[in-house]
Amino acid sequence: MPHDTKLYQEVSKTCWPIVYSPRYNITFMGLEKLHPFDAGKWGKVVHFLKEENFLTDVMIVEAREATEEDLRVVHTQRYLNKLKAGKLAVERGWAINIGGGFHHCSSDRGGGFCAYADISLSIKFLFERVEGVSKATIIDLDAHQGNGHERDFMDDSRVYIMDIYNRNIYPGDSFAKRAIKRKIELEWGTGDREYLQKVSQHVEEALKEHRPDVVIYNAGTDVLEGDPLGGLSVSARGIVKRDELVFQAARKHNIPILMVTSGGYQKESARIIADSILNLFNLGLIDHTDAV
């Protein structure tokens, strides 16, 4: 029997399926500024969306903290940040967690700034608790290979993994690559034209090859030109277009989609994420009344 949890309480219909908590942002006496990861990125995204009159506090779904029992669905110990967006995506047709995407963490190990296997946990909760969800597709477009969720779903035919990443950078996990059903490895400096062509082609083919009940979209902005860790050369406009292509494909096939924001190590990342969300709204790919 599923354990008792507070993560899946009902959300008011007046809220957009956008999940966030100020606790996503990490501070430690200013020392976080010395780290390459922008620990305040998620708060900046919300700030930009509020400036554009797209969001107010009452429209945001407050993320809840997982209990130790919740964590044991995937993890054997410790503590996870927030979870709720997966169920919202299925109910509303889409959801965005302004945060998350810790794709280097698996059930038994962390790595690459990732301490919690939120992608794996979200999928396993959906399989366990949401009627009609028995197959999932992970579309991982962070610049790095998503070896954490790949290790977690290595032998699980219910989960189809598509991963487009720079082949020359961390983590280079050959074992985890065995779990990737659609693997697209990029070279240093890949730019908009090649990148967007491959995204468009392979997302569509992936959704036809394995018809999922939900898509988990890992939308890292570390593909941005100049990112110190990503090594690719995609423009800000290219990232906005990439997200548009993924949402268009999911909506075309009437598949609920959950987007998490994952890596991105430049100050521009927060603005790009906000611009991408606004673009999805302006194109009608997300709105408050959506339902699949």
Side-chain angles (χ1 to χ4, degrees), residues 16 27 43 53 62 90 109-110 144 166 176 187-188 226 246:
W16 284 62
T27 58
N53 297 315
E62 174 73 17
V90 173
R109 68 180 71 182
H144 301 79
N166 184 340
E187 298 296 341
W188 294 108
V246 176

Side-chain angles (χ1 to χ4, degrees), residues 85 88 97 125 172 290:
L88 277 171
N97 183 9
F125 259 79
D290 271 352

Side-chain angles (χ1 to χ4, degrees), residues 104-278:
H104 297 308
C105 183
S106 62
S107 61
D108 62 352
R109 68 180 71 182
F113 309 153
C114 301
Y116 315 114
D118 61 326
I119 292 174
S120 299
L121 185 58
S122 182
I123 290 172
K124 291 192 176 188
F125 259 79
L126 287 169
F127 285 168
E128 180 184 284
R129 294 178 174 276
V130 178
E131 185 177 355
V133 179
S134 60
K135 294 191 296 182
T137 290
I138 299 170
I139 297 175
D140 195 332
L141 301 187
D142 187 274
H144 301 79
Q145 176 199 352
N147 61 320
H149 57 73
E150 289 159 9
R151 285 176 171 267
D152 283 339
F153 296 114
M154 178 69 65
D155 300 311
D156 194 331
S157 62
R158 300 172 298 174
V159 180
Y160 181 104
I161 298 173
M162 169 182 156
D163 201 346
I164 303 180
Y165 56 89
N166 184 340
R167 65 184 301 167
N168 304 293
I169 59 175
Y170 178 89
D173 190 334
S174 297
F175 175 77
K177 288 180 184 181
R178 292 164 46 190
I180 305 173
K181 301 296 193 298
R182 185 169 291 268
K183 178 177 63 178
I184 302 94
E185 296 187 322
L186 304 175
E187 298 296 341
W188 294 108
T190 298
D192 285 17
R193 184 173 180 179
E194 178 184 352
Y195 183 76
L196 293 174
Q197 185 276 325
K198 288 184 174 179
V199 168
S200 179
Q201 173 190 344
H202 289 287
V203 168
E204 184 65 30
E205 291 178 359
L207 295 181
K208 289 179 179 177
E209 187 172 320
H210 175 90
R211 168 73 191 203
D213 301 308
V214 65
V215 168
I216 310 297
Y217 171 37
N218 199 41
T221 49
D222 53 0
V223 300
L224 180 66
E225 183 177 13
D227 189 280
L229 301 181
L232 301 177
S233 297
V234 180
S235 69
R237 182 177 296 181
I239 293 173
V240 171
K241 182 64 178 179
R242 175 201 68 179
D243 296 349
E244 177 186 321
L245 289 171
V246 176
F247 269 77
Q248 279 179 336
R251 305 302 271 161
K252 171 185 173 183
H253 293 284
N254 291 321
I255 302 169
I257 180 169
L258 163 60
M259 172 177 159
V260 292
T261 57
S262 201
Y265 309 97
Q266 299 186 82
K267 290 182 179 179
E268 297 93 332
S269 286
R271 181 72 254 181
I272 293 168
I273 294 168
D275 286 345
S276 179
I277 294 172
L278 292 168

